Amino acid sequence: KTDSVDVVIQLEEQVIDLEVLDQGQGFNLDEVDTTAHMGLNSMRERAYSVGGLLEIDTAPAEGTRIHAVIPLDGKVERRRHER
């Protein structure tokens, strides 16, 4: 649970750069049962289906950061955006 969420949307070099940050409880991404909770996979698949990327950074007691890069022209240069 969190009291606030920050959302940043920017248009950069023909891509939409979206970042969602919270200071909530976070979670262990490796322990998520993706067969029971399809939301994270669904977000990633939707980003990939339009040539984009999705990163999820989270840890227990450290909040969550979701970063999506969606191209306006069909494909993101992965070397620039993936970490």
Side-chain angles (χ1 to χ4, degrees):
K1 296 181 179 183
T2 187
D3 292 330
S4 67
V5 175
D6 294 321
V7 178
V8 178
I9 302 172
Q10 297 179 325
L11 178 60
E12 301 177 353
E13 300 175 26
Q14 296 302 305
V15 298
I16 297 170
D17 191 292
L18 168 69
E19 189 171 51
V20 180
L21 302 151
D22 74 39
Q23 298 302 316
Q25 61 189 6
F27 56 95
N28 185 335
L29 195 56
D30 294 330
E31 294 179 3
V32 173
D33 179 0
T34 56
T35 61
H37 303 283
M38 297 185 58
L40 299 176
N41 280 341
S42 198
M43 288 190 301
R44 185 173 279 118
E45 287 173 7
R46 287 179 181 171
Y48 288 176
S49 75
V50 294
L53 305 170
L54 184 84
E55 300 172 327
I56 301 168
D57 297 318
T58 186
E62 293 188 20
T64 301
R65 175 185 170 266
I66 297 175
H67 181 220
V69 180
I70 307 299
L72 298 177
D73 63 359
K75 189 169 185 178
V76 172
E77 184 178 327
R78 294 189 188 284
R79 288 169 285 151
R80 183 175 148 221
H81 294 284
E82 285 188 330
R83 293 174 214 179

